[in-house]
Amino acid sequence: MHLRRSALPDPVRARLRLVPGERVLAHADAVEGTLVATTRALHLPDGHAAPWERIDRARWSDTGLSFVEEGVGTRAFGVERPGRLAETVYERVTATIVVSRHVPLTGDPGGRGLTVVARRPPGGSDITWRVHVDEGVDPDDPRVADHAARALAALREQTGV
């Protein structure tokens, strides 16, 4: 059996603003237009390229793809047949995570806390640290900020990152 990739349509390729060395890995039609995964980013139908290291909580469902892009918010696209795009999104987002650790808040009976994450862009060496608080945790609480700072310092020391 011979499997053949479907070619990226010329009009879609023409709208992409690829940087030198960036390659197309997969694509899928969405209700909103074509989504294109490259080595650097997920290119959206509106022309925006969401860098892999800025995509959080990417989820596939029966209706399509949704994700949170840091600094932009939640994005959702209706995709009936994701094909290789689903696997590619998972792989590319996961590959940017250097380390991720959930740290429960002291005394929280539900185990709520925060997650400390170190990420880097594909092929890059610059690491960005982020802290995500669990639902129900007040990010403006000074105790949470103190806990996050201590957790970040401990994780950086443990990992050498």
Side-chain angles (χ1 to χ4, degrees):
M1 180 164 133
H2 184 271
L3 296 177
R4 189 171 164 228
R5 273 188 192 171
S6 62
L8 185 64
D10 288 337
V12 174
R13 186 175 291 282
R15 79 163 159 79
L16 297 177
R17 294 183 303 265
L18 303 180
V19 299
E22 184 176 7
R23 294 179 300 106
V24 172
L25 302 173
H27 68 279
D29 291 329
V31 172
E32 302 80 3
T34 304
L35 297 168
V36 181
T38 68
T39 50
R40 179 182 66 88
L42 179 61
H43 292 260
L44 309 179
D46 64 4
H48 176 70
W52 295 119
E53 69 275 13
R54 296 191 57 174
I55 295 177
D56 289 326
R57 296 185 295 277
R59 303 278 188 263
W60 287 94
S61 69
D62 293 342
T63 59
L65 169 68
S66 67
F67 63 89
V68 175
E69 181 182 356
E70 285 202 21
V72 176
T74 300
R75 306 290 299 254
F77 299 92
V79 182
E80 285 188 23
R81 295 189 322 256
R84 292 182 51 244
L85 185 66
E87 176 184 347
T88 303
V89 167
Y90 174 80
E91 186 274 331
R92 298 313 273 175
V93 170
T94 302
T96 68
I97 299 171
V98 177
V99 65
S100 177
R101 178 148 321 140
H102 184 264
V103 182
L105 291 172
T106 306
D108 187 274
R112 294 177 304 177
L114 47 93
T115 302
V116 180
V117 183
R119 296 181 79 172
R120 84 171 112 226
S125 59
D126 292 335
I127 292 177
T128 303
W129 288 89
R130 296 180 179 102
V131 176
H132 303 278
V133 296
D134 291 346
E135 191 168 325
V137 174
D138 180 5
D140 297 323
D141 182 334
R143 293 172 299 175
V144 173
D146 180 60
H147 193 72
R150 285 185 282 118
L152 175 59
L155 190 54
R156 289 183 84 153
E157 184 177 325
Q158 289 170 3
T159 62
V161 177

